Amino acid sequence: MDVIDLAIIESHQIKVMFYPQAWKDSQNFVLDWQIVDFPPDPRNLIPNSSGVYAFVVEPNLFSLVPANGLFYIGKATNLYQRIGAYISELGKDFERSTRPHIWKMLNRWNGHFKYYYSTTDNVEQAEQFEEEMLKALRPPFNKQYDAVTSQVMRAF
């Protein structure tokens, strides 16, 4: 293995946080998740509804479901329109991306994502679900957390 191989391997390293206190402190909403490959084909599988969504890397190796990884959580006023923003990042030149961490996530693990989504009754409910999910799960590609969490994360 040479230096280039090591650099490529290193570029795929992700820091993940498992924080039981956050799990305990969070409200556990029961959501009706729908799961599609990313990018969805056809795109119209995704509804024109508000909701929450998650990107999960699924290598599908050895029938080991726990090997999957939650990478990102978001909310949307319109899930159909929102997924279009993510699809547009695929294959785009890095320099043209306005969200480099999302570009990295989508292009580095392209072909191994599942897009989980759950519709909500309204945008406010989607915002509430997203906030609770971020507090509890802290996915590595989300950059915004509550003030206390952000302060602690920057300390290390």
Side-chain angles (χ1 to χ4, degrees), residues 2-3 11 25 28 30 35 38 43 46 48 54 58 65 69 71 73 99 108 142 145-146 151 155-156:
D2 64 16
V3 173
S11 74
D25 293 344
N28 186 13
V30 176
I35 307 165
F38 180 82
R43 182 176 159 193
I46 310 303
N48 284 297
E58 295 190 5
V65 174
F71 273 28
I73 292 171
R99 299 175 73 196
R108 191 153 292 158
N142 283 87
Y145 296 101
D146 61 271
Q151 183 179 19
F156 299 97

Side-chain angles (χ1 to χ4, degrees), residues 3-94:
V3 173
I4 294 173
D5 292 332
L6 290 173
I8 290 170
I9 289 170
E10 178 71 20
S11 74
H12 287 81
Q13 182 178 352
I14 300 298
K15 182 177 180 180
V16 179
M17 183 186 321
F18 294 104
Y19 186 34
Q21 185 63 46
W23 304 338
K24 186 178 123 194
D25 293 344
S26 185
Q27 297 181 48
N28 186 13
F29 298 108
V30 176
L31 300 173
D32 181 24
W33 291 105
Q34 304 301 310
I35 307 165
V36 298
D37 289 332
F38 180 82
D41 185 25
R43 182 176 159 193
N44 66 4
L45 293 171
I46 310 303
N48 284 297
S49 304
S50 62
V52 290
Y53 58 90
F55 283 94
V56 177
V57 141
E58 295 190 5
N60 296 318
L61 295 171
F62 313 110
S63 304
L64 187 60
V65 174
N68 298 341
L70 174 66
F71 273 28
Y72 189 85
I73 292 171
K75 67 178 177 309
T77 302
N78 182 308
L79 289 163
Y80 178 83
Q81 291 176 356
R82 188 70 182 119
I83 200 167
Y86 291 102
I87 293 169
S88 73
E89 291 291 322
L90 291 174
K92 179 190 284 186
D93 288 334
F94 177 75

